[in-house]
Amino acid sequence: MSKYDKMIELNRERSVEKVAAAKAAIRKMAEDGERISVPRLMKMTGLSRGFFYKNPEVRSEIDRAMEQQAGTADPRRGILDKAMDGRIELLQQQVAKLKQENEMLQKENQKLRKALNKQDKNIIRNL
């Protein structure tokens, strides 16, 4: 085996190790419920950004993991959703109260206009 062949063999081994390390990091992040991102994977593995985007095997693993995460809810999102639901319910109650108050004021306004019209008619009759 020539030096060139040994060098190629060594590069292949390193490449396989890098792919394995990247896949392991992706799986670990997915198992831990951590949001998968290339910058985070770079920090965990020490591999370059280009490696994650250019290597088709690793890229497909990242895409698959991200698709799975898209279906799961972010724990913070659940808390925010509950808070927003409470806020929406409170605002809906306020809207209902204001609608009721508006109806009451419109009825009162209508009564006062009728009374004012009667009063105007009486003043005209007395002239």
Side-chain angles (χ1 to χ4, degrees), residues 9-121:
E9 181 67 27
L10 185 62
N11 284 341
R12 282 189 189 138
E13 287 176 14
R14 286 183 186 158
S15 178
V16 168
E17 289 173 3
K18 288 178 183 179
V19 169
K23 285 183 173 182
I26 293 167
R27 283 190 213 106
K28 182 175 182 341
M29 288 177 76
E31 288 171 2
D32 293 346
E34 191 175 342
R35 190 175 146 273
I36 295 173
S37 67
V38 173
R40 180 74 177 113
L41 288 168
M42 289 169 49
K43 286 181 184 176
M44 288 178 69
T45 62
L47 299 171
S48 70
R49 180 183 308 274
F51 176 82
F52 289 102
Y53 287 112
K54 291 179 183 174
N55 188 304
E57 191 176 346
V58 173
R59 184 64 195 176
S60 66
E61 186 79 16
I62 291 172
D63 291 341
R64 185 188 58 76
M66 285 181 165
E67 284 176 16
Q68 287 178 345
Q69 278 189 338
T72 61
D74 185 3
R76 294 174 294 181
R77 174 173 245 117
I79 294 168
L80 291 173
D81 285 347
K82 286 180 183 179
M84 292 306 292
D85 287 344
R87 180 79 173 137
I88 288 170
E89 185 177 333
L90 178 66
L91 291 172
Q92 286 174 336
Q93 289 173 357
Q94 287 178 340
V95 166
K97 182 179 175 182
L98 290 171
K99 281 183 180 180
Q100 187 179 16
E101 184 180 343
N102 189 18
E103 275 183 38
M104 184 184 73
L105 289 171
Q106 285 178 351
K107 287 178 184 177
E108 183 180 350
N109 189 11
Q110 197 173 26
K111 286 180 187 178
L112 290 172
R113 284 182 184 206
K114 284 181 183 179
L116 187 60
N117 282 339
K118 282 184 183 179
Q119 194 176 32
D120 285 345
K121 286 180 185 178

